Amino acid sequence: MLKAIYGTKDVLPKDIEKWNYVEDIVKKIFTSFNYKEIRTPIFEETGLFSRSIGEETDIVSKEMYTFFDRGETSVTLRPEMTASVVRAFIEHSLANQSSLNKLFYIASMFRQERPQAGRLRQFHQFGAEVLGSASPLLDAEIIILAYTILKSLGLKDITVKINSLGITSSRKAYIEILKEYLEPHLHELSEDSRKRFEKNVLRIFDSKSENDIQIMKDAPKLIDHLDDESKQEFQIVQNILQAEQIPFIVDSSLVRGLDYYSKTTFEIVSGKVGSQSALCGGGRYDGLIELLGGTPNYGVGFAAGIERIILALQNEKTELPGNSVLDVYVVLLNKELLNEYYLFATALRKNNFKVEIDYLSRSVKAQMREANKLQTKVVVLFGGDEFAENKIVIKNMDTSSQQVIPLEEAGKEILLSLGA
Ligand code: HAM
């Protein structure tokens, strides 16, 4: 039997309303903050991702879906959106059209990770990227936006963690200090962390090994070695979050898995989704536009995983919309009136009622059973004796009351039955 690729998932009709619910709230909140939607191709030249995310990161070194197309170009299914958005920003000279671009997206991403609950190979993110301003107000806004969306979706058990990685020069100086501290402990570190020591020493903070965690506990902290500018801006971000009453903790070990960050970084984690607890993450990436060949400019953004959010909502037992019910089911009593029956249903649909009819030549009893199954609010019995006088029967399924009404009053009477 043919099956979906390992680590990918179908969203079946019974679950689609949850997705629409999330996407509707996301769009509403982004729009209220005046963010504009952007869509980019799902694949790009491989170099775009390796240059921006970083050759030594897990994403680039182990997880990308990369292949040669028929023209021998190395292409990659996007593992994230920031690089693509920045590419589009440079390619279309968006900075010339507007000095500040506030953009959002809802899109699928691809990473060849080991699938588990909350971790897929094709997954979906919503996110935002703001290009064109160094203001820490926007660092705070990005966190506020992410937090507001998660709260509006109904999540309760979430924690905001923030950190500052400083500017490149202060981070480089700190890395030397960290390496000096780690050198005498090298032989005690896990194999993975020993590898990271050479290539990406900050990521040792992400190690899950108990021993590594103990060693990193006493390590010098990046936050104590920040440059003055980053320190001041980080304070402004914290002040705004406090003023907005967003609870947060400063986590100096929050390093993120992508290389492009500078200054503010953050994650929002859930206490309800096990090991894959990060619901969203982001931060400032001021050097990225220049790195990808654009005129130097500023950037800050975040992305959130939709599958993990839905999982967290389910684990928190938050009521999510199920399949919405039907307004009207039209039961055909007389098969000779098929044309009239169909026209009647179409007319109701044109009036924005959600309508279902019988396409399977079922008996009246079977049609009624189907109407019940679909949780219909109103059933119309079409084509009985009263049809000779251009009348139909409508039945309110909540009250079981039934009345005969003229055909042309159907819309009005159905509205009344629906309580609208
Ligand atoms: P990221 O931390 O790699 O950041 O991913 C953001 C979110 O995507 C994660 O917090 C998680 O919820 C979700 N996610 C990541 N991988 C998977 C997976 N395999 N399965 C399910 N969900 C996953 C970025 O992608 C950055 N582009 C965020 C950003 C935007 N930074 C600045 N602007």
Side-chain angles (χ1 to χ4, degrees), residues 145-249:
L145 242 179
Y147 184 80
T148 307
I149 292 173
L150 296 184
K151 276 285 166 188
S152 305
L153 288 170
L155 285 166
K156 293 179 217 59
D157 186 1
I158 54 175
T159 308
V160 181
K161 296 179 178 178
I162 62 170
N163 192 19
S164 176
L165 300 181
I167 55 172
T168 315
S169 57
S170 69
R171 193 164 57 252
K172 273 196 176 141
Y174 164 75
I175 285 174
E176 289 314 312
I177 296 169
L178 181 63
K179 280 188 155 176
E180 231 168 78
Y181 163 81
L182 283 173
E183 207 117 53
H185 298 284
L186 254 186
H187 62 285
E188 301 165 52
L189 288 175
S190 66
E191 197 188 326
D192 258 0
S193 292
R194 278 205 301 277
K195 273 190 209 147
R196 283 175 168 170
F197 180 83
E198 295 303 332
K199 296 181 167 165
N200 205 343
V201 67
L202 286 179
R203 295 281 289 164
I204 301 181
F205 280 109
D206 282 347
S207 171
K208 301 269 182 301
S209 139
E210 224 5 86
N211 202 36
D212 293 358
I213 293 171
Q214 283 309 322
I215 294 169
M216 296 313 278
K217 241 186 202 156
D218 298 328
K221 294 186 167 52
L222 175 51
I223 203 117
D224 298 329
H225 294 83
L226 285 183
D227 51 284
D228 286 341
E229 185 184 280
S230 299
K231 223 185 273 177
Q232 276 165 18
E233 290 180 4
F234 194 45
Q235 193 52 54
I236 296 173
V237 173
Q238 293 181 60
N239 293 346
I240 298 170
L241 294 181
Q242 264 152 8
E244 283 282 333
Q245 300 187 319
I246 309 270
F248 64 88
I249 53 176

